[in-house]
């Protein structure tokens, strides 16, 4: 794929396990701290990269992303982590690459707005960059054949573990998976005209078994997310 000439890539991980894996591949690393978040600046597969852990929730993710853009000049953002599957066809360990993302807990339905709509704003569903999405999907298929799909990521400051809520998010909002940060990253990137993509590995089914599955599969999910980002960055080419 040609034309992906981003000089600086921002990579956001949601878990320390992911950060540790990515740090092993970084060279010439230095550390900076901004807004209480640690940023690792260096080279990843020969390309300038800034790596950080977002922290939990949309506010942390938004602050983290804006700092990546303002302080470090990130020209593209890749956000990885785990998620709960909403689509019943997904299994634990499957990968979802974002086509778009929405805040499912943005709820102003009492005033006549659809759930997820941000009042008085033209865009509430934030599209991922088509080239980055395609590249991530291709990387996922190379690393984990048959386990990767593109879909809508729903984000909210809630850990979803209720079957009725899962059904609603899937059937009414069209969500493929749910997590707690991605749409905030996407909105900040959209507001700054920065391309982004979200890569989520399914660590649970977002139903009554979430408390059991999450701890058991988090490490495996982190390894899967890392493998895709590693493959993806290796295949970024200069224009």
């Amino acid at each position: 794929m040609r034309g992906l000439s981003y000089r600086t890539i921002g990579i956001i991980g949601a878990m320390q396990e992911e950060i540790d894996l990515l740090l092993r591949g970084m060279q010439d690393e230095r550390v900076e701290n901004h807004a209480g978040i640690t940023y690792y600046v260096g080279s990843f597969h020969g390309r300038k990269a800034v790596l950080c852990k977002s922290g939990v929730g949309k506010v942390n993710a938004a602050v983290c992303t804006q700092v990546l853009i303002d302080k470090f000049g990130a020209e593209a953002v890749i956000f990885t982590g785990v998620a709960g599957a909403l689509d019943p066809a997904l299994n634990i360990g499957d990968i979802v690459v974002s086509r778009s993302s929405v805040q499912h807990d943005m709820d102003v339905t009492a005033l006549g707005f659809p759930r997820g709509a941000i009042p008085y704003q033209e865009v509430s569903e934030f599209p991922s960059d088509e080239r980055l999405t395609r590249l991530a999907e291709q990387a996922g298929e190379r690393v984990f054949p048959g386990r990767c799909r593109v879909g809508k990521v729903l984000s909210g400051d809630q850990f979803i573990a209720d079957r009725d809520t899962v059904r609603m998010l899937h059937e009414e909002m069209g969500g493929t998976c749910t997590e707690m940060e991605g749409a905030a990253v996407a909105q900040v990137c959209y507001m700054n005209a920065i391309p982004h993509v979200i890569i989520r590995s399914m660590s649970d089914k977002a139903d009554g078994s979430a408390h059991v599955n999450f701890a058991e599969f988090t490490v495996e999910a982190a390894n899967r997310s890392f493998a895709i980002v590693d493959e993806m960055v290796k295949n970024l080419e200069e224009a």
Side-chain angles (χ1 to χ4, degrees):
M1 179 183 297
R2 306 299 295 177
L4 296 175
S5 56
Y6 311 122
R7 289 170 294 182
T8 302
I9 304 293
I11 303 174
I12 307 173
M15 302 175 296
Q16 190 59 46
E17 291 89 346
E18 292 175 279
I19 300 300
D20 292 341
L21 289 167
L22 288 161
L23 280 174
R24 294 176 195 170
M26 287 193 75
Q27 298 177 332
D28 303 319
E29 172 201 327
R30 74 175 192 272
V31 177
E32 295 188 22
N33 289 285
H34 299 280
I37 299 169
T38 300
Y39 296 82
Y40 303 91
V41 186
S43 175
F44 191 66
H45 291 302
R47 184 178 297 270
K48 184 177 178 182
V50 184
L51 170 66
C52 60
K53 184 173 75 171
S54 64
V56 176
K58 293 185 298 176
V59 173
N60 280 326
V63 170
C64 172
T65 306
Q66 193 64 56
V67 171
L68 274 176
I69 295 167
D70 287 346
K71 294 286 187 180
F72 298 103
E75 295 181 342
V77 174
I78 302 170
F79 183 38
T80 72
V82 298
L86 295 174
D87 188 329
L90 286 170
N91 293 308
I92 293 171
D94 286 350
I95 306 294
V96 172
V97 175
S98 63
R99 177 182 292 110
S100 64
S101 55
V102 176
Q103 297 178 55
H104 69 74
D105 61 349
M106 177 62 69
D107 187 354
V108 197
T109 53
L111 297 182
F113 293 92
R115 182 164 181 155
I118 303 172
Y120 317 117
Q121 185 167 301
E122 290 185 4
V123 176
S124 298
E125 181 173 341
F126 302 100
S128 304
D129 180 75
E130 291 183 4
R131 295 180 301 170
L132 289 177
T133 296
R134 187 163 60 249
L135 188 66
E137 183 184 18
Q138 291 169 349
E141 283 300 326
R142 283 194 295 270
V143 177
F144 304 109
R147 303 295 302 274
C148 184
R149 61 179 294 186
V150 177
K152 183 192 290 188
V153 175
L154 300 187
S155 305
D157 289 324
Q158 303 166 353
F159 190 98
I160 303 299
D162 174 75
R163 288 182 175 86
D164 290 338
T165 304
V166 168
R167 187 178 304 110
M168 182 277 293
L169 293 177
H170 177 57
E171 295 179 359
E172 296 183 20
M173 298 192 70
T176 307
C177 67
T178 181
E179 36 86 299
M180 300 177 71
E181 297 87 19
V185 172
Q187 182 172 348
V188 172
C189 286
Y190 177 84
M191 293 170 72
N192 288 274
I194 297 294
H196 82 281
V197 69
I198 301 164
I199 302 166
R200 290 295 197 176
S201 181
M202 301 302 102
S203 61
D204 63 84
K205 299 282 282 185
D207 57 16
S209 62
H211 66 287
V212 176
N213 290 335
F214 185 79
E216 182 178 354
F217 288 96
T218 292
V219 174
E220 177 188 342
N223 277 277
R224 287 176 178 267
S225 296
F226 162 75
I228 293 175
V229 173
D230 187 62
E231 180 73 11
M232 186 180 177
V233 176
K234 277 194 297 188
N235 286 280
L236 283 171
E237 297 181 2
E238 296 289 349

